Amino acid sequence: MTELLNENRVAVISGLRTPFVKPGEIFSDLSASDLGRIVSVELINRTELDTAEIGSVMFGSVLPAQGTLNIGADIAARAGLPPEAPAFSISGSSAFLFRSFIDAASAIKAGDCDTVLCGGTDSVSQYMRSSAELIKNYRSTKDSIGSGETAYELPWLSGRSSTGYMAEKLAREFGISRQDQDEFSMRSRSLYKKAREEGMFDEEIIDVFVPPGFEDIISEDMPASGLLTPESAAGLSTPYDQEYGTVTYASRAPLADGACAILM
């Protein structure tokens, strides 16, 4: 494999993201493709890069993107990229989506292309909306269609594969106590607040003019993570395992609508 790698140094040209917004709020009518297109177009415009120079597109999403079978190809087409540029989609957990960045670097090192647009995008709002409809339809028809062929489709609808339940599993496996989780959450929120007040996110977060009226402009995360105190953290419930759980809404990864894009 090493013989296939060239001597090109892989560099990040630039990266941007939309604000991260609580599901069900002002981004609720924007699809994952919409959010990916918005941040990709802004990134290309800011770098003044000729789209013909982009040799590949790689985008990931945690949740099934609504209205498309290939989120990468959809974003590429809607962002005005040349059709001959291969476009790929990656699906997995939030951390796994770093794979789009790794695959982009690997493609450049292998000599497949010189420039790659990669990123990740999700619309939790639209996923929840479509899932609610699917659950409703499933419950109304399960007696007639039987459970054997559809049971495998339902774990992701039940919530048992959510970030909270996964966090509970990992906390038990690695012996992470409730106190350790609460202390880490308090530290994380404090650092986020400090970074936000010091303007550390200003260059990476774009302004999003929300359609259809384009009158609302979102330029910061909504809502921003609030500070925790030892008392308030200790008073939170453990909804993912009410009897033996240690993970709270504050210590698990929050859900959000948003997208990011990187040019490499």
Side-chain angles (χ1 to χ4, degrees), residues 19-253:
F20 295 142
V21 175
K22 184 178 179 180
E25 298 194 353
I26 199 161
F27 282 176
S28 62
D29 290 329
L30 293 173
S31 67
S33 177
D34 291 331
L35 293 165
R37 178 194 63 80
I38 289 170
V39 72
S40 296
V41 169
E42 182 68 18
L43 179 59
I44 293 169
N45 288 342
R46 288 195 189 187
T47 56
E48 299 182 345
L49 182 70
D50 185 350
T51 56
E53 296 185 32
I54 299 177
S56 185
V57 178
M58 303 177 185
F59 260 83
S61 60
V62 176
L63 305 172
Q66 308 304 307
T68 179
L69 296 177
N70 185 338
I71 190 70
D74 201 49
I75 291 171
R78 298 181 65 199
L81 273 64
E84 58 269 20
F88 304 93
S89 297
I90 299 171
S91 181
S93 66
S94 301
F96 180 81
L97 292 182
F98 192 66
R99 188 77 221 181
S100 65
F101 181 86
I102 296 172
D103 288 351
S106 298
I108 295 171
K109 290 296 292 181
D112 291 341
C113 52
D114 292 324
T115 307
V116 181
L117 173 66
C118 64
T121 180
D122 267 305
S123 172
V124 180
S125 294
Q126 298 213 349
Y127 168 80
M128 292 170 66
R129 190 180 304 159
S130 64
S131 295
E133 185 65 25
L134 185 55
I135 292 173
K136 177 182 177 182
N137 292 339
Y138 170 76
R139 287 173 175 169
S140 64
T141 58
K142 65 178 179 179
D143 292 335
S144 60
I145 64 177
S147 59
E149 295 183 2
T150 57
Y152 75 94
E153 299 176 354
L154 297 179
W156 58 273
L157 294 179
S158 69
R160 292 287 172 180
S161 58
S162 73
T163 57
Y165 289 103
M166 183 60 68
E168 284 284 8
K169 179 180 178 181
L170 293 173
R172 286 193 293 269
E173 182 176 348
F174 293 100
I176 306 172
S177 69
R178 167 71 181 265
Q179 181 178 349
D180 287 341
Q181 294 175 52
D182 287 348
E183 289 177 353
F184 188 90
S185 298
M186 287 186 284
R187 176 180 180 274
S188 177
R189 288 166 180 255
S190 177
L191 291 175
Y192 171 85
K193 181 176 183 293
K194 182 175 183 291
R196 180 170 172 167
E197 291 173 348
E198 293 177 354
M200 293 185 66
F201 303 129
D202 292 350
E203 293 187 3
E204 70 180 50
I205 300 179
I206 67 173
D207 294 334
V208 176
F209 294 77
V210 183
F214 300 98
E215 296 179 354
D216 294 317
I217 305 173
I218 308 303
S219 57
E220 58 184 23
D221 299 329
M222 297 176 57
S225 298
L227 292 179
L228 283 175
T229 65
E231 294 75 22
S232 62
L236 295 173
S237 64
T238 56
Y240 308 103
D241 185 343
Q242 296 184 12
E243 188 171 0
Y244 302 109
T246 58
V247 177
T248 69
Y249 285 124
S251 56
R252 66 108 164 112

Side-chain angles (χ1 to χ4, degrees), residues 3-26:
E3 290 81 4
L4 298 177
L5 301 180
N6 58 42
E7 297 300 321
N8 289 342
R9 182 176 68 90
V10 179
V12 174
I13 300 172
S14 184
L16 296 173
R17 71 173 177 90
T18 69
F20 295 142
V21 175
K22 184 178 179 180
E25 298 194 353
I26 199 161

